[in-house]
Amino acid sequence: MTAIAAASSGRIYRQAADFLSTLDDDWARHIAATGPCGHQPKPAREPYEALVRAIAYQQLHAKAGDATLGRLLALYPGSGFPTPEQLLTADEAALRGCGFSARKLAAIRGIAQATLDGIVPNRDDALSMPDEALIDRLVSLRGVGRWTVEMLLIYSLARTDVLPGDDFGVRDGYRRLKRLAAAPPRKQILEISQAWRPYRTIATWYLWRVPAAQAASQIP
């Protein structure tokens, strides 16, 4: 991210925090306790790379996902992230040795082929597409669900109004924030989140941090 882009993002995050703080006292206290939004998108990544990375992390803790990706990148020293062609021609045993299950291996190769076929758009084309159009296009791929595409929108395309309604951290964060007996289901959290527009990505970032903020507030 360039210095200009970073400054622009910082301004948007401040505006978003100010806006969310006006919603009610719970939001105001949480944002004051958490501090400035530290969301860090990776706008240089192509959608293809973002999707492969997302598959690598599916159902894994961060350290395990890091290890899987590290082993994959080690297969292509000095070349950065492997190209779709490289993934499609790579030895299956080598990819399995990185930590990819048979299901994940099929998914990443499907993404690679879809990229060559033009189904997975390049970054410039993706930037011009509305959120729902991109979601509808990519969830047709094996192993790619709505949440995966929403993470692409948030982190790779730096969209500022995305609410991943299926995300447990978002729903449970809201439950904790509002001291509810149960986390709201997807449909309800999406309805609630309409009041957070046009800053639902920043609201998501803050909701992910509710457990840590509440734990810190209980320290004597």
Side-chain angles (χ1 to χ4, degrees):
M1 183 181 295
T2 66
I4 294 175
S8 177
S9 295
R11 183 176 64 256
I12 292 171
Y13 298 163
R14 289 191 295 273
Q15 292 172 348
D18 290 344
F19 170 77
L20 295 170
S21 294
T22 67
L23 293 174
D24 56 43
D25 290 343
D26 293 325
W27 276 102
R29 280 192 296 268
H30 174 53
I31 290 172
T34 304
C37 176
H39 176 51
Q40 296 181 327
K42 306 292 184 183
R45 286 180 182 163
E46 287 287 325
Y48 152 73
E49 178 181 346
L51 290 173
V52 172
R53 286 177 176 271
I55 295 297
Y57 280 93
Q58 281 181 355
Q59 299 178 321
L60 292 177
H61 293 296
K63 289 185 178 179
D66 289 343
T68 298
L69 275 175
R71 288 189 288 265
L72 175 64
L73 296 178
L75 296 177
Y76 305 95
S79 62
F81 201 82
T83 65
E85 293 86 352
Q86 287 174 317
L87 277 189
L88 289 171
T89 58
D91 179 71
E92 181 172 340
L95 293 177
R96 291 293 296 271
C98 294
F100 291 103
S101 64
R103 180 184 62 80
K104 287 188 175 183
L105 180 56
I108 65 172
R109 282 186 158 165
I111 291 167
Q113 186 61 57
T115 301
L116 296 179
D117 293 341
I119 298 171
V120 177
N122 61 36
R123 176 172 168 74
D124 288 342
D125 289 341
L127 285 170
S128 69
M129 296 178 67
D131 293 354
E132 289 300 324
L134 191 57
I135 290 171
D136 290 344
R137 182 165 172 173
L138 295 181
V139 295
S140 65
L141 303 178
R142 180 173 182 171
V144 178
R146 184 181 182 92
W147 180 89
T148 301
V149 187
E150 288 168 338
M151 293 304 104
L152 183 154
L153 291 168
I154 289 172
Y155 284 102
S156 296
L157 301 182
R159 302 280 171 93
T160 57
D161 192 33
V162 179
L163 193 287
D166 293 314
D167 189 277
F168 173 79
V170 167
R171 293 166 49 241
D172 189 60
Y174 187 78
R175 176 190 70 80
R176 290 169 177 264
L177 180 73
K178 308 304 292 184
R179 297 171 295 281
L180 303 176
R186 178 180 185 273
K187 182 178 180 181
Q188 185 179 2
I189 196 70
L190 289 175
E191 292 173 350
I192 292 169
S193 74
Q194 296 305 305
W196 311 339
R197 303 192 73 167
Y199 301 117
R200 292 184 296 172
T201 296
I202 293 82
T204 293
W205 186 91
Y206 277 107
L207 289 174
W208 280 336
R209 282 151 184 82
V210 170
Q214 292 184 342
S217 69
Q218 295 170 6
I219 297 176

